[in-house]
Amino acid sequence: MKIIIQLFRIIVGALFIFSGFVKLVDPIGSQYKFQEYFSESVLNMEFLIPYALPFAIILIVAEILLGVMILIGYKPKATVWSLLIITTIFLFLTWYSAYYNKVTDCGCFGDAIKLTPWETFYKNVILIALIVVLLIKVELIKPIFSGKIPKIITFLSLGIFLFIVQHVLTHLPIIDFRAYAIGKNLQEGMQYPADGSIPPVHDFMLEDTQQDLAPVLLDKEKVMLVIVYNLDKSDVKGFPAIKDISNKAKEKGYTVYGVSASFSDDLNLAKEKYNLPFEFLFCDETTLKTMIRANPGVVILNKGTVTQKKNWVDVDDLEL
């Protein structure tokens, strides 16, 4: 039994750490997922949508921290109970998604691994079974270090995790698992897989008043796209920096466009107000939020390949 408990402890801890880490490096992605869960068409709890980001951060940090705590054996009883509670929450959400076909991707592994709601539900059922066994035999979970070392590791880990969250929210995800990551070619991403499933890059259209310019722009060598997925939610403090870097890019031969899902009249007013030196094209908001976790942010393309991505606070670091 001691061997079984230690094995279950390692499995549960490693799974929670991995699941938490892939979301920790991109908490905005989890924010979008919780907004989807809170929407009228799913849980109908729209009053929680403004709190989706702090809710996501708390849950992500708790998830990865509990994984660390169960591995090092810090406060085992409280840790195992917390693991059971958080997994039960996940179990309900994934069951609801699967049974009512509301959310096709639960986001439990971020963008790193895609599971269907039913696959995630059964994973959580197995996980709860392991945790229940750990709870029954919680006295066999002993700290792997003596004295105050487990406590120090726990609080040091918490500090590191919070620093990572702050860093990626200020800049961009440390690791990008999406189809628009640096080095990815968008034309290749648009090709349908052999099984006929939806390609990783879809709904990518850059439309002006007359046509879709995406095929033309994906053929050019120097393209800068300024992503403002929603003008009302954008950080307007970033537009002066966006203006400066756009002018520099145009001087160096770049084709520069803004891309947004907002109304053209509002975009034209913003263009005049901040003296932005480019025209705006329309693209689906979800696609833009997938492209870059910034509003505004900059994506550099070369023959359809993403070569650079920056939040507006880092645009001075772009190599033009």
Side-chain angles (χ1 to χ4, degrees):
M1 179 56 70
K2 288 183 179 180
I3 295 175
I4 291 174
I5 292 300
Q6 302 316 312
L7 179 61
F8 284 7
R9 171 184 179 179
I10 292 172
I11 293 173
V12 172
L15 189 60
F16 266 77
I17 289 174
F18 174 75
S19 177
F21 176 77
V22 296
K23 295 195 287 288
L24 185 75
V25 298
D26 184 15
I28 296 294
S30 295
Q31 175 194 10
Y32 295 154
K33 188 56 62 176
F34 279 116
Q35 287 174 343
E36 186 177 358
Y37 273 113
F38 295 150
S39 66
E40 182 181 4
S41 60
V42 184
L43 295 176
N44 194 22
M45 302 171 69
E46 292 183 282
F47 66 94
L48 289 177
I49 289 179
Y51 309 103
L53 181 58
F55 187 82
I57 292 172
I58 291 170
L59 208 56
I60 291 168
V61 172
E63 184 178 8
I64 189 171
L65 190 63
L66 288 171
V68 171
M69 290 170 66
I70 192 67
L71 285 182
I72 65 176
Y74 181 62
K75 294 190 177 297
K77 191 171 183 180
T79 299
V80 176
W81 271 110
S82 298
L83 288 168
L84 183 61
I85 291 170
I86 199 171
T87 306
T88 302
I89 294 172
F90 290 150
L91 183 71
F92 167 74
L93 290 176
T94 53
W95 170 82
Y96 187 89
S97 299
Y99 187 81
Y100 292 102
N101 194 29
K102 292 289 186 179
V103 181
T104 56
D105 172 25
C106 73
C108 64
F109 291 118
D111 290 298
I113 300 176
K114 298 291 186 181
L115 297 178
T116 67
W118 280 120
E119 289 172 341
T120 310
F121 173 76
Y122 293 129
K123 182 266 294 180
N124 286 332
V125 169
I126 296 171
L127 192 56
I128 283 183
L130 299 181
I131 294 172
V132 168
V133 174
L134 291 177
L135 189 61
I136 293 172
K137 293 294 182 179
V138 70
E139 70 276 3
L140 297 179
I141 302 176
K142 305 295 183 183
I144 62 175
F145 300 107
S146 60
K148 295 184 177 180
I149 295 179
K151 183 177 181 179
I152 293 172
I153 293 175
T154 298
F155 282 92
L156 183 62
S157 298
L158 176 60
I160 292 172
F161 299 150
L162 291 176
F163 171 78
I164 292 174
V165 169
Q166 187 275 334
H167 177 82
V168 298
L169 290 178
T170 303
H171 304 282
L172 288 179
I174 298 172
I175 304 174
D176 193 344
F177 297 105
R178 287 158 287 144
Y180 299 90
I182 293 175
K184 296 284 189 179
N185 183 274
L186 302 190
Q187 291 104 319
E188 293 176 1
M190 291 177 180
Q191 296 176 6
Y192 279 85
D195 60 2
S197 59
I198 298 176
V201 176
H202 55 277
D203 294 332
F204 182 76
M205 293 178 287
L206 306 174
E207 299 174 309
D208 62 8
T209 56
Q210 296 179 333
Q211 60 181 327
D212 176 18
L213 297 181
V216 176
L217 294 179
L218 292 179
D219 240 8
K220 289 179 174 287
E221 289 187 350
K222 292 183 174 183
V223 175
M224 174 185 286
L225 299 180
V226 178
I227 309 299
V228 185
Y229 76 81
N230 186 313
L231 185 60
D232 293 335
K233 298 178 181 178
S234 64
D235 190 344
V236 296
K237 297 191 301 292
F239 285 131
I242 291 295
K243 170 193 168 185
D244 292 342
I245 196 64
S246 299
N247 282 325
K248 291 178 183 177
K250 294 182 82 170
E251 290 173 2
K252 296 196 175 185
Y254 279 79
T255 300
V256 182
Y257 278 104
V259 189
S260 179
S262 296
F263 291 112
S264 58
D265 290 344
D266 295 334
L267 294 171
N268 288 332
L269 290 175
K271 181 177 179 294
E272 293 179 7
K273 181 177 180 180
Y274 299 104
N275 198 22
L276 300 176
F278 49 75
E279 300 297 328
F280 276 95
L281 302 175
F282 176 83
C283 185
D284 176 71
E285 182 171 322
T286 300
T287 299
L288 298 179
K289 289 160 76 172
T290 305
M291 284 183 69
I292 187 169
R293 307 300 199 201
N295 186 29
V298 172
V299 177
I300 303 293
L301 301 176
N302 185 349
K303 292 282 188 178
T305 298
V306 179
T307 57
Q308 297 181 78
K309 295 168 71 172
K310 297 290 182 184
N311 197 336
W312 70 264
V313 298
D314 298 313
V315 292
D316 289 338
D317 296 332
L318 287 169
E319 298 178 5
L320 300 177

